[in-house]
Amino acid sequence: MTQELVSLTIIMAVAAVSPIVAQLIPGRFIPQTVLLLAAGAALGPYGLGVIEVNDAVKLLNELGMAFLFLLAGYEIDPKRLAGHQGKVGLLTWGITLGLAWLVVTFLPFFTKQGINGIATVIALTTTALGTLMPILKERSLEGTPIGDAIISYGTWGELGPILAMAILLSTRTGWQTMLVLGAFLAICLLCAMLPTKALKTGHRLYRFLTENANTSSQTLMRLTTFLLIFLVTISALFELDAVLGAFAAGFILRYIIPDGSKSLEMKLEGVGYGFLIPVFFVVSGAAINVRAVAGRPALLVAFIVMLMLIRAVPVYVALSLDKRKNPLSSHHRVTVALYCTTALPIIVAVTSLAVKVGTMQSDTASTLVAAGAITVFLMPLLGSITYQVADIHPVTAVREIAHTPSDWRTIVREHAQVRALLHHQDRLKRMAETLKSLEKQEGLNGLDSRRAELVERARLEIDRQLKELGLDPQLTTQLPHNYRYPKN
């Protein structure tokens, strides 16, 4: 027990220090997840050996992965899946899967590396939506057209591989696999329908649960945790991967409370991101054999390049062909494609399963997991660069400079000013929406002193920013829409 506590203490020390280190790095371009993975690799069995991945730590690791996929499933809006962008995302993922199969099957490089199996195919089609969500929130992309596109395409980049793992990596025959999945689906439907009916009928038990949600009973939190562990257990009993059960639990939770619950979300994120999910990332890093990865640099680089070609390119092409419904600039389409190429948790799950059944060597699995860890750092970094560059419209700027080279300083300054105006407009719009939602909840006269103060501060900030732009707050509440923006 002592060694288990020592290992857990070190893991939680890493979890506590990581956000501080991430904050101190200029530009905050390294996500906390990368620091957790790097620390796990350095302190784990293949590094200094101070973290021992024993049974207790493995259990917490499994729960961490379960919470990560629970939150990922919860982020998915069923309406988004059925909408236009969701359908395009599904089609794009299907094309990605076909491309991955062709490359892994017929490219001599992968055959020589001994990884031409279905596990590698699935690993090349993933998007780490659960890992991306906190990054999108940190970078204020959630709720923007770019963030919505990332979630729409990323949803199938996470859901598709999970279903593919259940179907294609099963050791059962085809009809047995379908039978087991059908039974699992029936259990999931039952878990979704019972609470929904209780909600509609206003059942006495449901009222009791909601009334005690924020007391010491924590009824909704306990039921959510029960749902998660129950479906993960059912997955284990059915010999399915735990990821499927965790993801299904999140999806069911979103179905039951389609409008969400801020209180429940804060508690889930507190338990998940505050404790269990950092354990998962540190232990995932500890599973990386750094020496094995260093011995196969060609495979590491090739896998990252293939991820970009197989996952990013189809997403970019789909967004370009769908410009009428999703009018994003070319730079923003690149941003979405890069974010959607972030991959790690599914790679960890699929390689672990492949090693367990003997279809992949542990050294190869370490290399693929290391490649996935690099994408968590590299893709959001590249995506943030293209996102910041997009509003400057560099292509147009280069054309204008080529036409009148002597005015290059003026051209660069004007394009930078346009980006600043767009940034102001985006902030103003969000603040106005927040203000409107606050007033709609209770009406300004019925607000308590704290909320009234927040509303007043929001109004003062909007007025201040309008004055900075030379606009009269008495005459306008937002930036005019008739600015002549450069067009790519």
Side-chain angles (χ1 to χ4, degrees):
M1 179 59 73
T2 303
Q3 183 57 47
E4 284 88 340
L5 288 173
V6 169
S7 294
L8 185 58
T9 300
I10 296 170
I11 290 171
M12 293 315 299
V14 169
V17 170
S18 291
I20 300 173
V21 175
Q23 179 70 29
L24 292 174
I25 297 172
R28 299 180 62 186
F29 65 92
I30 299 181
Q32 297 176 35
T33 304
V34 175
L35 300 176
L36 295 171
L37 291 162
L43 302 176
Y46 300 107
L48 298 177
V50 293
I51 294 177
E52 181 181 314
V53 186
N54 44 52
D55 289 342
V57 173
K58 284 180 180 177
L59 177 60
L60 290 175
N61 174 56
E62 289 291 322
L63 289 174
M65 183 171 68
F67 257 85
L68 181 66
F69 281 98
L70 169 78
L71 292 171
Y74 179 75
E75 291 290 348
I76 295 174
D77 184 355
K79 294 178 182 177
R80 192 190 298 272
L81 286 178
H84 172 78
Q85 206 165 43
K87 293 174 183 176
V88 174
L90 172 59
L91 178 61
T92 304
W93 182 81
I95 293 170
T96 301
L97 182 67
L99 288 173
W101 179 81
L102 289 172
V103 168
V104 171
T105 304
F106 296 106
L107 197 67
F109 176 82
F110 284 100
T111 304
K112 289 177 182 177
Q113 296 290 333
I115 55 169
N116 57 340
I118 194 65
T120 310
V121 173
I122 295 173
L124 284 168
T125 68
T126 65
T127 296
L129 185 62
T131 306
L132 278 177
M133 288 310 302
I135 297 175
L136 296 180
K137 290 176 182 177
E138 287 173 11
R139 298 181 178 179
S140 301
L141 288 174
E142 193 178 30
T144 66
I146 293 172
D148 290 343
I150 292 169
I151 293 172
S152 293
Y153 285 87
T155 294
W156 285 108
E158 189 130 56
L159 180 57
I162 289 172
L163 296 174
M165 284 173 60
I167 297 170
L168 301 177
L169 293 180
S170 176
T171 55
R172 304 181 182 91
T173 60
W175 70 269
Q176 289 176 327
T177 300
M178 290 298 121
L179 189 63
V180 167
L181 286 175
F184 180 78
L185 177 62
I187 292 172
C188 289
L189 289 174
L190 187 64
C191 291
M193 296 307 296
L194 288 177
T196 305
K197 287 196 173 182
L199 170 63
K200 288 180 178 178
T201 58
H203 196 275
R204 188 165 51 186
L205 176 60
Y206 179 80
R207 291 199 302 273
F208 170 79
L209 294 175
T210 52
E211 288 168 2
N212 289 274
N214 295 313
T215 67
S216 59
S217 300
Q218 292 294 320
T219 48
L220 290 182
M221 183 63 187
R222 292 185 188 184
L223 275 176
T224 300
T225 307
F226 166 72
L227 173 67
L228 172 64
I229 295 176
F230 171 70
L231 289 179
V232 168
T233 304
I234 293 296
S235 299
L237 293 173
F238 285 179
E239 297 182 3
L240 299 168
D241 196 271
V243 168
L244 180 62
F247 199 83
F251 198 74
I252 290 169
L253 187 62
R254 171 59 74 181
Y255 177 79
I256 295 170
I257 45 175
D259 296 327
S261 169
K262 290 294 181 184
S263 174
L264 181 60
E265 288 165 20
M266 288 180 63
K267 293 168 190 173
L268 289 173
E269 289 178 356
V271 174
Y273 292 116
F275 177 34
L276 294 171
I277 293 175
V279 173
F280 166 69
F281 283 120
V282 173
V283 174
S284 297
I288 299 174
N289 186 340
V290 179
R291 291 185 181 87
V293 174
R296 307 181 73 176
L299 176 60
L300 180 72
V301 174
F303 191 78
I304 294 173
V305 171
M306 283 298 113
L307 270 171
M308 295 183 72
L309 292 175
I310 291 172
R311 184 70 183 135
V313 172
V315 171
Y316 179 83
V317 172
L319 286 167
S320 300
L321 295 175
D322 196 34
K323 283 179 68 174
R324 184 171 296 179
K325 292 284 186 179
N326 299 289
L328 297 176
S329 70
S330 59
H331 297 84
H332 285 161
R333 296 197 295 273
V334 171
T335 299
V336 174
L338 287 170
Y339 272 102
C340 287
T341 313
T342 305
L344 180 67
I346 293 291
I347 293 179
V348 172
V350 74
T351 54
S352 299
L353 186 58
V355 170
K356 190 182 297 183
V357 299
T359 58
M360 183 180 290
Q361 296 180 353
S362 59
D363 288 356
T364 303
S366 287
T367 305
L368 299 190
V369 171
I374 290 172
T375 65
V376 175
F377 160 71
L378 183 61
M379 300 308 168
L381 173 62
L382 295 176
S384 66
I385 292 173
T386 57
Y387 177 69
Q388 303 216 2
V389 167
D391 290 335
I392 300 174
H393 295 269
V395 175
T396 306
V398 169
R399 288 174 182 166
E400 291 175 1
I401 291 171
H403 187 260
T404 52
S406 59
D407 294 338
W408 70 270
R409 288 188 181 85
T410 304
I411 293 168
V412 170
R413 185 172 62 252
E414 287 178 349
H415 280 258
Q417 287 174 345
V418 167
R419 182 185 179 280
L421 289 172
L422 288 169
H423 180 67
H424 275 288
Q425 188 177 35
D426 186 54
R427 288 184 61 191
L428 287 169
K429 183 180 177 183
R430 292 189 189 192
M431 292 177 66
E433 288 176 352
T434 303
L435 185 62
K436 187 176 180 181
S437 66
L438 285 171
E439 291 179 340
K440 189 180 291 184
Q441 285 177 23
E442 297 180 29
L444 188 57
N445 295 330
L447 297 175
D448 57 26
S449 59
R450 280 189 174 185
R451 184 166 288 172
E453 181 184 354
L454 178 60
V455 169
E456 186 59 29
R457 284 173 59 190
R459 282 184 170 144
L460 289 173
E461 180 64 17
I462 290 174
D463 290 351
R464 185 187 68 78
Q465 291 191 33
L466 287 168
K467 287 176 182 177
E468 279 184 7
L469 297 171
L471 300 174
D472 186 352
Q474 302 298 323
L475 302 176
T476 182
T477 57
Q478 61 181 5
L479 284 173
H481 294 282
N482 58 351
Y483 284 114
R484 187 179 61 83
Y485 300 135
K487 296 182 179 180
N488 280 345

